Amino acid sequence: MNKFSTIDYVIFVIYFIVVTSYGYWVYSRKKIKGVSDSHDFFLAEGSLTWWAIGASLIASNISAEQFIGTSGQGFQVGLAVAAYEWVAAIALIIVAVWFIPVYLKNKIFTMPQFLHTRYNETVSFIMAIFWLLLYVLVNLTSILYLGALAINNLMGGGYLHEIIIALSIFALFITLGGMKVIGFTDVIQVLVLVVGGLATTYIALTLVSEHFGLGKDAMAGLNKMMSDAPDHFKMMMAKPKPGAPQAEINKYLALPGIAMYFAGQWIVNLNYWGCNQYITQRALGANLKTARTGILFAGLMKLAMPVIVVLPGIAAYVLYKNGGLQQEMASGGHFNSDNAYSAILGFLPTGLKGLSVAALTAAIVASLAGKANSISTIFTLDIYKKHISKEASEKSMVNVGRLTILAALVFSIMLTWKDLLGIGGEGGFTFIQKYTGFISPGIFAIFILGFFWKRTTGAAAIAGILTGFGMSVLFNNYAPKLFGNETLLYTAFPNGKGGYEIPFLICMGLSFMFTIIVMVAISLAGPKVNPKAFEIPRSMFKVEKSTLALIVVTLILLTMLYAKFW
């Protein structure tokens, strides 16, 4: 395996200098113009262009769990994991057309503020706490740990703690300049991660080609992968039959075939892209046309993401299956599918390795910065300003926001120091999806009913939060023991640990269904909501021709992809 050369270090240092210098330049211009209010710091109000919004969405989304976790899933299950990317393209269309107009019309800056406007302060406060815990304990921590682990593996090990600190400082430098700095530096980040990611995929395909004696031919490598591992190029996992191997069952537990398209896959994506401060924050400071175009631009880019984050994992699987990468796929002497991406990176030639590690770092830092800024926004605007210091000045809110960013990163460093949450134990991608899925059904239920049914009450929203979480715990942990392994609602499968599990995407769908039923029943039994408390802007649902064109192109390309790999 090639080690880092001087040229690789030079390329990486150039990337660092360019990003930080550009970020400082954006920050300096902002200071010269005298812009230092909280809306500018948290939202970059009115200053992000459509391409900056789209690039920032992708840069923040494609992080360590994508490069590392999704490649690991590509190794295990193949192209089926691309459902997360391709369904996201449709989810982004829905968000752009129906969700964003509601937020902008009602001048929403944070997701708890939406819940306060639509329901009441109790719902807003509860969810602000929920989101802060989720963002710090699950998202920020897993991004930092998985990213540091990957870079540490590439450097030969022994530098994990130093890399964790370095990534945190890099993200802190960008984040303290506010959302405008994050948004515009993300344009550079996304260029680096796309170019570096494509370079890694190209090398992965040529490695496969060379391994089978076909020369350095990327297309020959892709064709060989498709013929050698045809099951890894199918979007649907077949339901395992009784007595099936545990490996086949595990694939279905992660991606339960067509069933996931009627259950959790939509909840995952619509909740992530439409009800998530981390994502919507990029568009909340723009006008409707700019926000819509940026979101749809991100949706179009999502169609290409599996080329970068899934194909290297499949290439690693084909090589491993045929006697390659045996040492590279192990951590501490034990096989780990999350090593698939870094295993490929290790074989990159001089120069390209530095570029690809820069791409990985770009994805990690962009996500860390975006997540830290969202944590800061929710804490400052929805907790500090409302409950601690109602008379806080603009300057003090910006300072509190910066201190919150620092505190969140320090706390995440403490959690990742010895992997206290066990992220490395069950795979990064599964860790994030599973634990986010415990609260996603309840959150999405209160948002979707809040958008489109004025009869929904605050009491129903609180019940929805509790029901969604409670049902998630029930279906994920106890349902097979209480109700049996097979009912009209679900089928449980052996998990290889002496018990039975329901695929977590189906658990999410079931939790969402029961949450909606409870919320509707409570709303109908309670008082009617004042329709003036929240406005659904019907006139803003008209779609511009340019927007419609982007939607049509995205849907045509998506149809072609599913037709090819169904």
Side-chain angles (χ1 to χ4, degrees), residues 135 277-278 281-282 369-379:
Y135 288 171
Q277 181 71 31
Y278 174 52
Q281 191 164 340
R282 276 121 182 93
K371 188 64 72 178
N373 188 265
S374 296
I375 292 167
S376 171
T377 302
I378 290 176
F379 178 81

Side-chain angles (χ1 to χ4, degrees), residues 4 46 59 63 70 87 136 171 198 213 254 256 260 278 344 355 359 415 533 548:
F4 253 46
S63 183
T70 308
V87 172
V136 174
L198 288 174
M260 69 181 179
Y278 174 52
I344 295 295
L355 177 63
L415 289 174
L548 184 60

Side-chain angles (χ1 to χ4, degrees), residues 68-379:
I68 308 305
T70 308
S71 288
Q73 284 287 290
F75 183 99
Q76 290 184 317
V77 304
L79 193 62
V81 74
Y84 283 97
E85 306 297 318
W86 291 344
V87 172
I90 301 178
L92 283 163
I93 292 173
I94 294 171
V95 170
V97 175
W98 285 292
F99 286 26
I100 286 298
V102 177
Y103 292 143
L104 296 183
K105 180 66 176 180
N106 291 276
K107 294 182 167 52
I108 300 299
F109 302 123
T110 71
M111 296 299 97
Q113 181 199 349
F114 165 83
L115 297 176
H116 176 264
T117 304
R118 176 59 183 85
Y119 295 114
N120 54 50
E121 181 57 36
T122 302
V123 177
S124 173
F125 183 75
I126 291 172
M127 286 312 305
I129 299 299
F130 258 96
W131 271 310
L132 287 175
L133 291 173
L134 176 69
Y135 288 171
V136 174
L137 294 178
V138 177
N139 299 113
L140 194 68
T141 304
S142 59
I143 291 168
L144 184 58
Y145 178 79
L146 289 172
L149 186 65
I151 295 175
N152 181 56
N153 288 342
L154 288 169
M155 296 181 68
Y159 302 98
L160 182 63
H161 294 156
E162 292 84 352
I163 295 169
I164 287 173
I165 293 173
L167 288 172
S168 300
I169 292 173
F170 193 177
L172 184 67
F173 185 89
I174 294 173
T175 312
L176 293 182
M179 180 52 71
K180 185 175 181 180
V181 174
I182 294 171
F184 281 108
T185 54
D186 276 352
V187 175
I188 298 177
Q189 307 274 45
V190 82
L191 286 173
V192 173
L193 74 86
V194 167
V195 173
L198 288 174
T200 303
T201 300
Y202 174 80
I203 295 300
L205 297 179
T206 58
L207 282 173
V208 173
S209 178
E210 286 184 299
H211 186 83
F212 288 96
L214 302 174
K216 290 188 176 182
D217 187 334
M219 286 306 300
L222 178 60
N223 291 332
K224 185 61 182 178
M225 284 163 54
M226 295 178 72
S227 63
D228 189 73
D231 288 344
H232 270 57
F233 285 89
K234 293 181 180 179
M235 290 300 297
M236 296 296 151
M237 295 286 105
K239 188 174 182 179
K241 298 177 181 178
Q246 189 60 48
E248 184 180 332
I249 295 173
N250 289 342
K251 291 181 182 181
Y252 192 79
L253 285 172
L255 294 161
I258 194 72
M260 69 181 179
Y261 290 92
F262 295 96
Q265 194 60 250
W266 291 104
I267 299 168
V268 168
N269 277 287
L270 287 172
N271 177 69
Y272 179 85
W273 295 103
C275 314
N276 182 356
Q277 181 71 31
Y278 174 52
I279 293 299
T280 56
Q281 191 164 340
R282 276 121 182 93
L284 295 180
N287 60 49
L288 179 59
K289 185 175 181 180
T290 301
R292 271 181 168 167
T293 306
I295 292 169
L296 292 172
F297 175 54
L300 198 58
M301 286 193 286
K302 287 295 284 181
L303 297 181
M305 286 300 109
V307 174
I308 294 174
V309 298
V310 179
L311 281 185
I314 302 177
Y317 169 78
V318 171
L319 290 170
Y320 183 82
K321 188 180 80 165
N322 289 278
L325 304 184
Q326 303 298 313
Q327 181 179 350
E328 290 77 12
M329 289 300 299
S331 290
H334 300 288
F335 170 83
N336 186 349
S337 63
D338 278 348
N339 287 337
Y341 196 81
S342 56
I344 295 295
L345 284 183
F347 287 92
L348 293 177
T350 298
L352 276 181
K353 184 181 289 187
L355 177 63
S356 293
V357 174
L360 182 60
T361 304
I364 297 163
V365 170
S367 290
L368 285 174
K371 188 64 72 178
N373 188 265
S374 296
I375 292 167
S376 171
T377 302
I378 290 176
F379 178 81

